[in-house]
Amino acid sequence: MIDMTTKTKYPKIGIRPIIDGRLGGVRESLEETTMNMAKNVVKLFEEELRYPDGSQIKCIIPDFCIGGVKEAVDCQDLFSTNSVGVSLSVTPCWCYGTETMDMDPHLPKAIWGFNGTERPGAVYLAATLAAHNQKGLPAFGIYGEDVQDLNDNEITPDVKHKLLTFAKAGLAVALMKNRSYLAIGSVSMGIAGSMINPDFFQDFLCMRNEYVDSSEVFRRIENEIYDKDEFEKALKWTKENCKEGEDFNEKTQQRSRQLKDDDWKFVVKMTLIIRDLMEGNPKLKEMGYGEEAMGHDAIVSGFQGQRQWTDFLPNGDFPEAILNSSFDWNGKRAPYMVATENDALNGVSMLFNYLLTNTAQIFADVRTYWSPKAVERVTKWSPDGIAKNGFIHLINSGSATLDGTAQQTKKGKPVMKPFWDISESEVQACIDATTWYPANVGYFRGGGYSSGFLTKGEMPVTMCRLNLIKGLGPSLQIVEGYTIDLPENVHKTLNNRTDKTWPTTWFVPNLTGKGAFTDVYAVMNNWGSNHGAISFGHIGDQLITLASMLRIPVCMHNIDETRIFRPSAWNSFGMEKESSDYRACQTYGPLYGTN
């Protein structure tokens, strides 16, 4: 068995130490200071950042400083042969801008100009950002708020925050490049997000699109093209850990015990097969299936399910939920990004969140806005606290990550962690908090199981959604807020009005009092589709940075302006940040586009 955590050829961060090229005293006096500045950044990144498998971020620095065009070209050659996916230039001094700048049009790039008075690093920063903007090669500018001494090796908190925000977003861009979105099946129930747009994937993400018919999953089950030993291990784990809930179907519609037991076997096989379709499995080659063993190099996938599949076969809720989680029968591991109903746009939204946080993602319908008035009418309870203005019910057919139970903790608070930080007891707590209900056969005629759980409250989360708009292209929506707890009787009353066999997250967005965030109703009313991707943490600023790298405008967010970090060129497109974002993205076009 192989999983995504074994992928070792991760992109590196390239650090470019830029120096005043004048020999004869000036350059020599700055060599050590400049190289130490680069090494300090490497130390920061290695301490703070991890690849999806939990391994330490790798950086590369040339063994020379860059004082002119020859050294800039040598550095570019070094980067191109060492899998560098992100470029950061650092300098404490004045240097020759256009001679030393990074000219690669596809690498996310930033410049840190040291704020010190002994040497004008800020002057180089300003001059070279101007050169980037004039040449149409957007770069992020990093400049500390407080003057430091030239020999001060501390990276101040404001600079540290920008360096990490840039690096996380840049690595997300690099990690997506040349990977695949795998569509298993086609369009689900007319959902536009599952109408795959290959131009978007190619031009904005530099990703391939791979396609297999849903029948390929069925073929592999029928022909036993899966690791049989692992299947037995997985089925045993499932029987021991995944507790089956009450069957709420009408008695006449309930499946027999034999059919339910067969469904468990079927959905476990589906899980193995969808994973193998995404990344391959060398075990299959040993079994004589060399082509199937290769997989599709998919960093994200989607399973159509409804309706052609689910009208006669068990649904995909179990494989989607387990794959989207940070653990299974093999223990803790990196989560897979698998979109319900083949909603590729929500799959990409999940992927954005995941690559920025290394945490599993909740896939959910943005189902219902509950106003205080409606809640009180139905339950006789008046919402209070952060729920006083109402809340949104996030719920989908049992495909959300089991990490979304929020049974993991940090400093006594509910969280969702990267898999390497999750304890075995927290894994078990997530499993124990989940009940697997026989599928609602009104929706899923072929049976199967749906996960049911309730997300703990008081957890900071960010919901995002990518949409495609004709004439505009992609746009991103972002909402930061919190999960909430409701009184048990209130939760049951509201939850029973929809499908109580599905996982529920009660969500309150942070309000700004204006626009789409005037109130909770406005957030719901301005949401652009039926699905959302929900991540642990308030990462809206990181999503904005990532979107600007990809040239995707943000049409809706509740992030304070002081947290927004975009390339320097965006400042030249107007004083209103969101309008300038649209104009800049339109001017530069998609990162990998031809215009």
Side-chain angles (χ1 to χ4, degrees):
M1 197 280 290
I2 185 171
D3 65 39
M4 286 176 67
T5 64
T6 64
K7 188 173 179 63
T8 56
K9 195 177 180 181
Y10 287 125
K12 300 181 180 71
I13 301 177
I15 313 295
R16 306 174 73 251
I18 312 296
I19 199 167
D20 190 323
R22 288 173 284 200
L23 287 167
V26 176
R27 176 166 181 157
E28 293 88 341
S29 69
L30 291 164
E31 289 277 4
E32 184 177 358
T33 299
T34 303
M35 191 58 77
N36 283 341
M37 190 175 174
K39 290 177 179 178
N40 285 338
V41 173
V42 172
K43 184 173 183 290
L44 170 69
F45 287 164
E46 289 180 346
E47 289 175 350
E48 298 287 340
L49 302 177
R50 292 289 181 270
Y51 289 120
D53 66 353
S55 63
Q56 190 177 68
I57 289 291
K58 295 188 183 303
C59 300
I60 185 167
I61 311 175
D63 58 7
F64 53 85
C65 291
I66 301 169
V69 65
K70 172 63 167 62
E71 289 159 324
V73 171
D74 289 345
C75 181
Q76 186 170 354
D77 290 343
L78 177 70
F79 284 5
S80 65
T81 56
N82 282 276
S83 302
V84 167
V86 186
S87 170
L88 172 68
S89 300
V90 301
T91 186
C93 58
W94 166 254
C95 320
Y96 301 159
T98 57
E99 295 183 20
T100 60
M101 65 188 283
D102 182 346
M103 296 289 288
D104 189 315
H106 293 147
L107 281 187
K109 51 183 61 66
I111 304 170
W112 174 24
F114 186 77
N115 185 0
T117 56
E118 292 91 339
R119 298 284 183 173
V123 179
Y124 172 80
L125 173 65
T128 311
L129 287 175
H132 276 281
N133 298 345
Q134 188 169 325
K135 292 176 177 292
L137 299 169
F140 291 79
I142 300 172
Y143 178 58
E145 183 176 341
D146 298 315
V147 172
Q148 295 176 260
D149 297 332
L150 188 61
N151 61 356
D152 185 352
N153 291 324
E154 180 192 1
I155 302 177
T156 58
D158 59 327
V159 170
K160 182 183 295 186
H161 176 73
K162 286 187 175 180
L163 286 170
L164 292 173
T165 299
F166 166 75
K168 286 179 183 179
L171 282 169
V173 170
L175 285 162
M176 288 185 282
K177 189 175 182 180
N178 295 325
R179 301 299 303 279
S180 299
Y181 177 89
L182 173 63
I184 304 173
S186 184
V187 179
S188 174
M189 302 182 295
I191 294 173
S194 58
M195 298 174 184
I196 310 299
N197 185 314
D199 290 342
F200 162 71
F201 280 92
Q202 178 178 321
D203 292 347
F204 285 88
L205 309 180
C206 197
M207 284 178 60
R208 297 171 179 268
N209 291 99
E210 290 285 290
Y211 310 87
V212 297
D213 191 81
S214 301
S215 61
E216 174 62 9
V217 178
F218 192 55
R219 180 183 79 90
R220 293 194 186 197
I221 290 176
E222 290 288 289
N223 293 343
E224 299 186 329
I225 308 174
Y226 51 84
D227 184 337
K228 297 181 185 63
D229 292 336
E230 186 182 2
F231 166 68
E232 293 299 333
K233 177 182 180 181
L235 184 63
K236 181 175 184 293
W237 178 90
T238 300
K239 288 179 177 179
E240 292 174 352
N241 290 278
C242 299
K243 62 176 180 287
E244 186 177 319
E246 181 181 350
D247 191 339
F248 291 108
N249 292 293
E250 295 291 335
K251 293 289 186 183
T252 57
Q253 298 295 314
Q254 292 181 9
R255 294 163 72 79
S256 68
R257 184 66 259 168
Q258 181 62 54
L259 284 176
K260 288 177 179 177
D261 290 342
D262 290 344
D263 284 354
W264 276 119
K265 296 176 184 177
F266 194 95
V267 297
V268 170
K269 293 173 185 177
M270 284 177 67
T271 309
L272 298 176
I273 289 166
I274 292 173
R275 183 204 64 201
D276 291 351
L277 282 166
M278 289 181 68
E279 65 180 7
N281 189 339
K283 179 71 173 180
L284 302 185
K285 186 175 183 179
E286 297 174 16
M287 297 166 57
Y289 296 101
E291 184 179 357
E292 290 85 347
M294 290 188 287
H296 292 267
D297 194 39
I299 193 172
V300 57
S301 70
F303 180 68
Q304 175 192 335
Q306 298 186 75
R307 282 190 47 202
Q308 287 75 17
W309 179 275
T310 55
D311 274 1
F312 83 111
L313 293 170
N315 66 16
D317 287 4
F318 180 84
E320 290 167 15
I322 293 296
L323 289 170
N324 279 330
S325 299
S326 300
F327 44 82
D328 59 20
W329 41 85
N330 291 311
K332 296 183 293 181
R333 51 137 176 89
Y336 298 82
M337 297 296 106
V338 183
T340 299
E341 294 156 353
N342 196 28
D343 184 349
L345 296 181
N346 211 56
V348 170
S349 303
M350 294 169 68
L351 182 61
F352 285 176
N353 289 344
Y354 168 60
L355 293 177
L356 292 170
T357 65
N358 287 324
T359 58
Q361 300 298 308
I362 298 173
F363 182 112
D365 281 354
V366 185
R367 181 64 68 96
T368 309
Y369 162 63
W370 277 101
S371 68
K373 182 179 178 181
V375 172
E376 188 167 13
R377 178 182 65 82
V378 171
T379 69
K380 311 305 179 188
W381 175 76
S382 181
D384 53 17
I386 66 170
K388 66 182 180 182
N389 296 310
F391 44 84
I392 295 173
H393 194 179
L394 304 176
I395 181 173
N396 193 260
S397 60
S399 57
T401 173
L402 270 59
D403 300 61
T405 57
Q407 297 293 318
Q408 302 159 26
T409 60
K410 186 174 183 179
K411 296 181 179 179
K413 298 289 186 180
V415 298
M416 294 165 65
K417 301 176 183 178
F419 77 91
W420 57 85
D421 283 338
I422 303 172
S423 70
E424 293 299 333
S425 62
E426 288 172 330
V427 169
Q428 196 60 49
C430 293
I431 294 169
D432 291 344
T434 306
T435 301
W436 296 92
Y437 294 98
N440 180 339
V441 295
Y443 286 118
F444 306 116
R445 299 173 185 173
Y449 292 91
S450 295
S451 63
F453 63 74
L454 174 61
T455 302
K456 277 189 175 182
E458 299 185 20
M459 184 168 68
V461 293
T462 302
M463 181 167 71
C464 81
R465 169 71 193 192
L466 185 74
N467 295 300
L468 291 180
I469 312 299
K470 187 174 178 63
L472 169 66
S475 67
L476 187 66
Q477 297 177 293
I478 302 167
V479 182
E480 291 185 345
Y482 289 86
T483 63
I484 61 168
D485 293 316
L486 297 179
E488 185 176 359
N489 64 310
V490 174
H491 160 71
K492 285 184 176 179
T493 299
L494 301 184
N495 206 46
N496 286 348
R497 292 174 66 95
T498 180
D499 198 310
K500 57 188 175 184
T501 67
W502 296 346
T504 276
T505 303
W506 300 109
F507 173 62
V508 172
N510 294 340
L511 301 178
T512 65
K514 58 184 179 181
F517 297 92
T518 301
D519 50 34
V520 180
Y521 170 78
V523 174
M524 179 76 181
N525 199 39
N526 281 276
W527 200 245
S529 188
N530 53 313
H531 293 148
I534 299 92
S535 179
F536 170 73
H538 287 160
I539 61 166
D541 56 331
Q542 297 176 41
L543 283 164
I544 288 174
T545 298
L546 172 58
S548 67
M549 289 181 179
L550 299 170
R551 320 285 166 73
I552 296 173
V554 178
C555 65
M556 172 181 169
H557 74 77
N558 56 349
I559 314 306
D560 186 89
E561 188 171 304
T562 59
R563 295 171 57 201
I564 295 175
F565 188 34
R566 290 183 172 121
S568 166
W570 268 237
N571 297 325
S572 299
F573 286 87
M575 295 177 65
E576 204 287 309
K577 283 188 177 291
E578 305 322 313
S579 298
S580 66
D581 181 37
Y582 270 79
R583 287 190 286 271
C585 290
Q586 182 180 35
T587 297
Y588 290 112
L591 180 58
Y592 305 101
T594 55
N595 55 336

